[in-house]
Amino acid sequence: MTELPETILMIGVALVLGAVAMALLRLTLGPTVPDRVVALDKMTVSIVAFCGLATIWSGDAAFLDVALVLALVGFLATVALARFTERAVSRDAEREEDTQ
Amino acid sequence: MEPLLAITIGILVAAAVYLMLARNVLRFIFGLVLISNAANLTIFVAGGLTAGAPPLIPAGAEAPVDLVANALPQALVLTAIVIGFGLFAFALVLMFRAYTTLGTLYSDDMRVAEPRPEPKDAP
Amino acid sequence: MNSIILRVGTQYLSGMLLLFSLYMLIRGHNEPGGGFIGGLIGSTGFVLYAIACGTDEARRALRVMPQNIAMAGLGIALLAGIAAAAFGDALFTGQWLFINPTEDSKGIPLSTVLVFDIGVYLVVFGSIIALVFAMEEEI
Amino acid sequence: MNMALSNLLLAAAWAIFFGAFTWLSVISGLVIGFGVLWLLQPLHGGNARYFRRVVYWLKLIVLFLWELLVSSAQVLWDIVTPDHRSNPAIIDMPLDVKTDAGILLVTNLISLTPGTLSVDVSPDRKTLQLHVMFADDPDAVIRDLKGGMERWVIDAVEDVA
Amino acid sequence: MGNDAAHASARGNGIIGVVPVIIALSLFAWFLSLTPQLSDGGTVRWVWQWVPSLGISMSFLLDGLSLTFALLITGIGTCVFLYSNTYLAGHPQFNRFALFLTAFMLAMLGLVLADNMIGLFVFWELTTITSYLLIGFGHTTENGRRSALQALFVTGAGALALLAGFILMGFSMGTFELSEILAQGDALTKHAMYLPILILVLAGSFTKSAQFPFHFWLPNAMAAPTPVSAFLHSATMVKAGVYLMARLHPAMSGTDVWFWTLTVAGAFTAVFASILALRQTDLKQALAYTTLMALGTLTLFLGQSSGYAMTAFATFLVVHSLYKAALFLVVGCIDYSTGTRDADTLGQLGRVMPVTALAAGLVALSMAGFPPFLGFIGKELKYAGILAIGSEPLLFASALLLANALMFAIAGIVALRPFWLTQEGEYARAPKEAPWPMLVGPVLLAVLGTLFGVNPDLLQTTLIDPTVASLLGSIEDAKELKLWAGVNMPLILSIATVALGTVLYILHRGLRARLIAITTAAPNFDRGWDAFLNGLKGFAAWQTRVIQPGVLRIYIFATFATVLVAIAGTMALRNAWPAMPDLLAVEWQELGLALLIIAGAVLTVITSSRITAMAALGVVGIGVALIFIVYSAPDVAITQLLVETLVVVLVAVAMLRLPLLDREGRDHRPLDAVLAGAIGLSVTAVLLAVIETPIDRRLTDYFEVTSWPEAFGRNIVNVILVDFRALDTFGEIAVVVIAALSAYALLRMTDLGRDK
Amino acid sequence: MSWTLATPLVLPFLVAVLAFLTRSGPAGRWVSVAGNALLLVASIVLMTRVLDHGVVAAQMGGWGAPFGITLVADYLSAVMVVITAITSLAVSVYALTDVGGRKEHLGYHALFNVLIGGVVGAFLTGDLFNLYVWFEVMLISSFGLLVMGGTRAQIDGGVKYVTLNLISTILFLSGIGLIYGMTGTLNMADIARTLPQVENQGLVSVIAMMFMVAFGVKAAVFPLFFWLPAAYHTPAFSVSAVFAGLLTKVGVYALIRMFTLVFDGDVAFTHTVLLWVAALTMVTGVLGAAAQSDMRKILSFHIVSQIGYMIMGLALMTPLAIAGAVFYLVHHIVVKANLFLIAGVAERITGSTELSRIGGMYKSAPLLAVLFFVPAFSLAGFPPLSGFWAKYVLVAAAIEDSGWIIAAVALLVGLLTIFSMTKIWAEAFWKSHPEGTNPALSLMTQSERRHLLTPIAALATMTLVIGFYPEPFVTFAKDAAAQLLDPSAYMQAVLGVPS
Amino acid sequence: MSVLIAAALIILGSLLTLAAGVGILRLPDVFTRMHAATKVGTLGSGLIMAGVAVQFGEPAIVLRCVLIVFFLLLTAPIGAHMIGRAALRIGIEPWTPKKD
Ligand code: NA
Ligand code: NA
């Protein structure tokens, strides 16, 4: 198999990291809890992409396992946070704080 | 990369320490997560960094054909991560229980084991 | 959690997680994976179950007290280490048995090391479930 | 699903004839096995469900991927263009799909096709709450979904009595 | 005051009461049988190697000095045991009392017989403990406990100094055996460490023998039952200090420091104590102070090295023991039968308690120093000895004269008033003669005093000569004990003493009033003790409030501050700074990862929204995982991601019952920020310094070549975990299990509510 | 050979598993007792082996040093294991009455025995990272035991205990990472061999100080001991007894091990710091005790002050001083554990440990009075009890080394120790009970008395034996010190090559 | 040939990932942002995985890539659903353009 040009991969990495950065920005800005959760979820998915790039770059399939695990388990955090949001607010604990 | 990571770890530690010094023990927990990560990174960095070569022996080979990453620190970090998780989990539950039992997360108000001295104690 | 979508998704996902965790456990000695990772993944299966369907149902599905699973795992791991005594070796010396070895491959390996890893799996699996369930039941 | 099983067996046999589990051998095995089974249909009490089911599945997958690509463009466009020309709204869609698998499939596929997002299913499983990005004509959206995605899913996973 | 006598009843305490008497008596007999061997200044030594690795043995040396003490201890012990068997008849805690008193006697014997300094110290401390328990016999009263603690603390403090002195002496002289040290002549006085040794040893002796300014504990120790006082404060414990000084006299005396310290302290204590004695109305207290006076006098003589002084010391040692023990016992009898010891109340007991009165009379005459009693000889020798002092003899002589005169007066107060003068108060119960076991002691001692007075050389040959011999080396130095030494200076002084004493006795009530006025004005050491204790407690409380304030934040701050000092301080002191790294070599994607982590960390710090904090932690976790991915650690990355997920899940669950992060305002702590920043910096510095050294991969190299051939695994990390370092992994899973169990227990354990 | 070392380590975990799986019935507690009896046997076997062969070492997993994990026992390790077994046996018997069914069902015995396993592991391992692992095992099980019971005081104390110990743990872990970065090895003997070749020796001192702080927290030295007085008076008595006896000593052990074997390159600096730490620890601890009025709080602060003595021995670094430290370790574990056990009985019959609320035991519980008197006055350093010899050797070492100030401090602190011990004696035993009751041992049932008093009596007897016949213990301590000050035998045993 | 396809897939996937990031950042409310994250993001990662599969072509790797994509397609919508319903239940109103 012929190697992919390094530049292609680097562009890929740059774009993916850019996506992560934007998600991070959204995470910081909020404004609502679900916004932050979405941002975190997006990051997880981006890491899967990153693992794909790492796989090609290193030529080692080991990183696909990372992606596999993440694809399967990553959304658990999203679910937990989403449930927290829902319950916490339905308990009316903190509308005034976290959802701002 | 190592120097950059050294700085990153320093910042992680600083953030962690600041959080651990907070009144609210929940922030201590956050700090604990950060500082655990910092400690794990420390081991990882101290063991030397090798990019793109996981410590796996390819099928058919007796040993890694060319340079692969230092496996020992990885094993140590893995152990430390799991231990760290165990400690974190207990600490979290403890703080949780502290709130449900003592009614506060503010360490300044946790004065059951060491009550404030009454004035009569003063010399 | 009264979400049909989540509950139905969990039906498939938790099964897959358990299966996948075992896969990671078995292959762990030669490729990424092993007892820790396996155990962690397996536990997430039941964590998801508990989140989606409540701990009572999850406990019923598990049948055994998770802490017992964990302790048993510890015992298994320990026995895997003590087994070496029977062969006059030091504690935690791996004992290997290769079924129908051929000249090109060692054959199918059975080893105390694998047993140890299984112990690790059970410990991580049981402990995390015990923790999360107990926590879940507090809220 | 015993038909699927036999199909797999045939494929396996085919591959063994070749003495190698390569992509070529396995896939060709599946195709040829399918063909053989179709020929021998009468042998199996002449029920055509399996063959229809397989066709529907393929149809579902292909159409879904197509939907995915096409409507991604819409969202992309809205993302990259400075102004939001989208007109989002929450709309309720009546559900005909019954089985758990069906519901999951429908909701997920709807969510995955850009422009629509399944937010929640009512406890009675009768209505699906959707967030639609381009809800200029909600009824049209619902019509498309029911005629498209839901239809295909029902065909693929549920037995039409 | 008679609270300990209150339990009294005619019958004794059965076998328990008799055993100690037998022990003491047989020991006395045994020592008596040894006198012939020692009368010519010979010694008997017995050794058992106890802790040879530390040069510590159980070696006992019997010479004149120790024999004298041994006889006094066992002899008086016999009387006291006999006495107390009746005095405390039927007392519920008599068994303990007997045990403690016997233990004390044996410890005291060990002390005076021990030849190894550490052995001596062991017995020294045993007397401290046993006397603590004896003085605390009235443990239910605040005062009893206070006195016990005071005695223990003061003598204990001295003992620690003494221990240091002994160790120092042992290392300086190369042996812990006293006999070997004494054999080395003036080697010790010439040694560079002589002064510290002397100070430390004297600190021990003075506290034990209640020399000024450590005298205050002794009168309080009278809280003990009278027989205890009779024993401890006549012949035994308080004399331990005197014994030690006498024991070390050959090796340490002869220097100016020795002379002046002992002479001045002794003289001052003598006068000071006898004045205070005159103050007392409680007979027991009065006797206690006269004991101080006696101890002062003995110390005074030990300051000298003349034959007269030593003979005087030896004689007065015996004299005082005899009459003081007797008087204590007499006072005990009075207390026992009248229920009071108040000098002003007592009177007219002569007729109801004739035997007691007789004994008291004889003893008092000896104490006052009338011929033909031993006390007279003692007093003559004292004057002879004092006049032999090298410098300022007249000054010390007059001091001694005053002290003796006061003693004369006290003798009158104690032995004359209660029996023959008119009673001025009411008795608790109708007084009657004390039962015979309580009379044996006083009478016997009184008779001895008279006997030795009439026939001095009986005492001379058996005790005095050998004692002087062990002090000065040969019996030739001992001066002769005579009733009539012709008209000489001592005799004149004696007459002066009698005259002055009579005057004082007549005036003593008026004097007492004035003395009380003066002494209450003067600084009171007993009140000083309370001040000391309160000061100590106060300081302790203050210190504890400062360093253990019970506020977690302060603890954490202190801990981190220590970390900072340890790291940064050492880097500065040991100059371990790293070279400035070349940060331009960094590639942009690496920078990206670093910034991602940093951003997450910063966000966690600044946000006051818990969910943001949680998500930010997730970001850090993801960033770290990315680093693990980029630098080829798939297993670690997977574990990290899984753990981070579980962390988020757990926190998200816990949060549902936890309140908001900030109660009031934002969380802004400049000082903490400074500390945190400093620690972060020093961590970076250390890390930079560490990564300067290239990593040595010899362990990993081994794992790489053995992993597959010997451990049959291609995933080296996993092989390390389950094979090469399986023990680590085992411990680790134990941590995981126990963490789960602990957390579970914590959540399930409902408050058992055992705290108020 | 290897199993002589492995057995004492494996046993507690085996016991833990069995005790946990049988926790529903009364079997669990007896499993624990039997297991600890076996542990005692195993540890004595190990001790005899060590006495015969000097230092013994074994490679776990059969992987040679420095690649695999080494278990190694020299005199110090061996005696610590024996004393651990004795303490754990005593406490497990005591727990038969002291620990109720609820706690047992939540896994008390598992936690307790895993704790013991961690302690033994820490004493036996020759691998730095493995030492970290055992520290964590101890730490987490101590967390569980500390808060088991869930009283408000326990939770509060737990928060402080946990937070501060976690900080030290992280520091320890990072320190290991750095050491590995500098030496490329984890085997302590190998580190000791490699560290001198590091050119930045200043950095080595820095790492040494990091370890000093990390272990300093565990050992509860000034100014890092806050967690101890905050927590040790809160849990079940059997728990606080084993904590007081063992846990801090593991920190001291680690300090001794690291600062004799590994960090002996910059003694002039590190051990001077240690000396100051020792002095301040002694003083602050004993003053803290003087300020308390609760039996367990007094005893807790005394742990701190006594730790100072042991550190003093290490700091002086002379044969006699190290011997003193070793002797002190052994003596103190026995005495201190016993005092906490006695406090438990006192609380049982008087209803409290607060001195103002109790009393009268001298009159109505003379046996307990005797049993308290022995360890208490041993702690206060009265001859001829074990504490006297411990203090004597240390003071002698200080004087021999012309360490006048530290010697003076040691003696003075001894005096203040007398003060607190007699305070307990006077208040709890001499003084009459404020409510006029007569707290007698007969208030407990026959079996309760048997379970509670047997271990106390046994430990008190040990104190007396050490006190009256110290020679073998002193010679042993001296030999241990010799081994520690000349690690060549240790390294020979571990690495198989003369260093 | 396969290299070119792989390169194309990767660049495209990375671009979509970035686009998703931009969407997260720019779109007006949580629901619209979820649209971007859930599908555009998933699609992006999916394409990258396709690129990996093409690049390696080995059955084992291809299978893993397929699994990863499958898992992503299975979990991402569930996560999105959880967030969306939480958002609705805590009363976040969907953004609507100002009709003027
Ligand atoms: Na961690
Ligand atoms: Na950790």
Side-chain angles (χ1 to χ4, degrees), chain B residues 32 36 39-40 79-81 83-85 87, chain F residues 132 136 166 169-170 173:
Chain B
L32 180 64
S36 298
N40 300 337
T79 311
I81 290 177
I83 288 182
F85 175 70
L87 296 177
Chain F
Y132 162 78
E136 297 297 354
L166 285 178
T169 285
I170 298 289
L173 180 60

Side-chain angles (χ1 to χ4, degrees), chain E residues 514-531:
Chain E
R514 286 213 184 61
L515 278 172
I516 289 168
I518 297 163
T519 47
T520 43
N524 175 329
F525 287 87
D526 195 38
R527 265 184 265 115
W529 160 260
D530 293 333

Side-chain angles (χ1 to χ4, degrees), chain E residues 286-438:
Chain E
L287 290 178
Y289 280 101
T290 58
T291 305
L292 281 179
M293 178 274 179
L295 295 171
T297 317
L298 290 166
T299 312
L300 164 64
F301 282 117
L302 282 173
Q304 330 304 321
S305 305
S306 69
Y308 270 113
M310 292 306 110
T311 319
F313 166 80
T315 319
F316 186 56
L317 181 70
V318 179
V319 176
H320 172 257
S321 302
L322 295 181
Y323 74 66
K324 185 54 57 69
L327 281 178
F328 269 118
L329 295 179
V330 165
V331 170
C333 294
I334 297 173
D335 189 1
Y336 183 83
S337 58
T338 66
T340 177
R341 301 195 301 245
D342 179 32
D344 290 355
T345 321
L346 290 162
Q348 295 170 319
L349 293 172
R351 257 171 267 90
V352 277
M353 308 175 66
V355 188
T356 318
L358 171 69
L362 293 174
V363 177
L365 289 171
S366 175
M367 175 177 176
F370 283 104
F373 299 96
L374 184 58
F376 174 74
I377 304 177
K379 184 152 50 57
E380 298 295 276
L381 275 164
K382 278 197 276 180
Y383 285 128
I386 207 82
L387 293 168
I389 290 181
S391 52
E392 311 295 340
L394 289 176
L395 171 67
F396 293 116
S398 42
L400 192 58
L401 172 66
L402 176 59
N404 282 331
L406 286 159
M407 196 97 100
F408 183 97
I410 307 289
I413 297 168
V414 176
L416 208 59
R417 281 197 53 79
F419 297 100
W420 311 116
L421 272 63
T422 53
Q423 160 190 7
E424 298 176 10
E426 280 310 306
Y427 295 143
R429 40 185 178 275
K432 55 177 174 10
E433 183 57 272
W436 70 267
M438 291 175 64

Side-chain angles (χ1 to χ4, degrees), chain E residues 50-54 56 93 96 100 118 121-122 125-126 128-129 132-133 136 139-140 145 148-149 152-153 156-157 160 163-164 167-168 171 176 193 533 536-537 539-541 543-544 547-548 550 552 555-556 558-560 562-563 566-567 570-571 573-574 576 686-687 689-690 693-696 698-700 702-703 706 710-711 723-725 727-728 730-732 734-735 738-739 741-742 744-746 748-755, chain F residues 13 20 60 63 66-69 102-103 106 111 114 127 129-130 133-134 136-137 140-141 144 147-153 155 159-160 163-164 167 178 180-181 183-186 190 194 199-200 202-203 205-206 209-210 213 223-226 229-230 266 269 284 287-288 290-292 301 347 362-363 366 373 382-384 388-389 392-393 395-396 399-400 404 411 415-416 418-419 422 425-426 430-432 468 470-471 474-475 478:
Chain E
W50 191 16
V51 197
S53 54
L54 295 174
I56 297 169
Q93 298 188 347
R96 301 175 198 191
F100 298 156
I118 304 305
F121 180 79
V122 170
E125 285 293 56
L126 280 175
T128 313
I129 301 182
Y132 170 70
L133 293 169
H139 55 84
T140 48
R145 295 194 292 271
L149 175 63
L152 180 73
F153 203 78
L160 293 171
L163 178 61
I167 295 173
L168 199 50
F171 284 140
F176 284 104
M193 283 293 156
L533 269 198
L536 179 66
K537 287 180 192 150
F539 178 70
Q543 179 233 250
T544 313
I547 61 173
Q548 192 75 23
L552 178 62
Y555 298 166
I556 299 179
T559 309
F560 275 125
T562 316
V563 173
I567 297 178
T570 315
M571 283 207 118
L573 288 171
R574 282 294 181 257
V686 175
L687 210 47
V690 167
T693 60
I695 176 72
D696 171 350
R698 62 184 192 280
L699 265 57
T700 307
Y702 176 84
F703 296 142
T706 41
E710 295 181 36
D723 200 335
F724 293 119
R725 297 185 66 86
L727 195 56
D728 279 348
F730 177 73
E732 173 191 359
V735 171
I738 298 304
L741 290 187
S742 309
Y744 186 82
L746 193 49
R748 286 288 184 274
M749 177 64 80
T750 50
D751 190 331
L752 299 183
R754 264 181 58 208
D755 49 335
Chain F
F13 291 98
F20 187 80
M60 295 301 102
W63 303 105
F67 309 112
I69 292 173
R102 179 100 182 96
K103 288 178 185 173
L106 286 168
L111 266 61
V114 169
D127 184 284
F129 191 82
N130 196 236
V133 171
W134 297 127
E136 297 297 354
V137 171
I140 191 70
S141 32
V147 295
M148 197 171 256
T151 64
R152 304 179 70 241
I155 301 293
V159 169
K160 288 159 184 169
T163 47
L164 294 166
I167 293 172
L178 299 175
Y180 176 74
T183 63
T185 181
L186 295 166
D190 201 27
T194 320
E199 72 275 7
N200 187 347
L203 187 57
S205 304
V206 176
M209 293 306 290
M210 282 179 73
V213 175
L224 304 162
F225 60 66
F226 315 105
D266 193 5
F269 176 69
T284 47
L287 285 177
Q292 304 306 316
F301 268 103
E347 196 256 10
Y362 182 76
K363 181 158 156 287
F373 192 86
F382 272 99
F388 167 71
W389 300 112
Y392 172 82
V393 176
V395 172
I399 289 175
E400 186 188 47
W404 311 122
L411 288 168
L415 186 63
L416 293 174
I418 299 176
F419 176 74
T422 49
W425 176 256
W430 268 356
K431 183 190 74 192
S432 323
F468 281 97
E471 176 59 16
V474 173
T475 37
K478 281 186 152 186

Side-chain angles (χ1 to χ4, degrees), chain B residues 1 10 18 21 24 27 37 50 52-53 57-58 61 68 70 74 79 82 97 100 106 108-109 111 114, chain E residues 548-550 553 555 590 627 631-632 640 657 661-663 669 676 684 697 700 704 714 716-717 732 746 749:
Chain B
M1 183 57 177
Y18 184 76
L21 286 165
N24 188 327
R27 280 213 169 83
N37 277 309
T50 313
I57 300 168
V68 296
N70 192 347
Q74 293 192 12
T79 311
V82 177
R97 187 64 202 271
T100 54
Y106 287 77
D108 299 21
D109 305 342
R111 298 300 301 271
E114 298 174 279
Chain E
Q548 192 75 23
R553 230 158 16 85
Y555 298 166
E590 298 172 340
I627 295 216
Y631 294 102
S632 341
Q640 169 80 9
R657 281 208 25 204
L661 272 180
D662 296 310
R663 256 191 316 216
R669 296 165 279 125
T684 303
R697 286 179 54 132
T700 307
E704 286 177 356
R714 299 192 173 279
I716 303 173
V717 174
E732 173 191 359
L746 193 49
M749 177 64 80

Side-chain angles (χ1 to χ4, degrees), chain F residues 259-348:
Chain F
F259 283 84
T260 54
L261 176 65
V262 177
F263 299 122
D264 56 355
D266 193 5
V267 176
F269 176 69
T270 51
H271 288 59
T272 314
V273 175
L274 278 172
L275 196 60
W276 281 101
V277 169
L280 289 166
T281 308
M282 287 190 245
V283 173
T284 47
V286 82
L287 285 177
Q292 304 306 316
S293 63
D294 177 284
M295 217 166 159
R296 273 206 285 185
K297 285 183 181 175
I298 294 176
L299 294 174
S300 301
F301 268 103
H302 269 296
I303 300 173
V304 174
S305 129
Q306 308 283 315
I307 293 291
Y309 281 95
M310 304 167 208
I311 305 298
M312 165 188 167
L314 171 61
L316 291 168
M317 200 70 175
T318 67
L320 195 56
I322 300 282
V326 174
F327 193 103
Y328 214 115
L329 268 170
V330 175
H331 137 75
H332 186 253
I333 291 175
V334 175
V335 161
K336 184 63 75 174
N338 204 8
L339 284 169
F340 274 86
L341 293 181
I342 292 163
V345 179
E347 196 256 10
R348 222 163 240 277

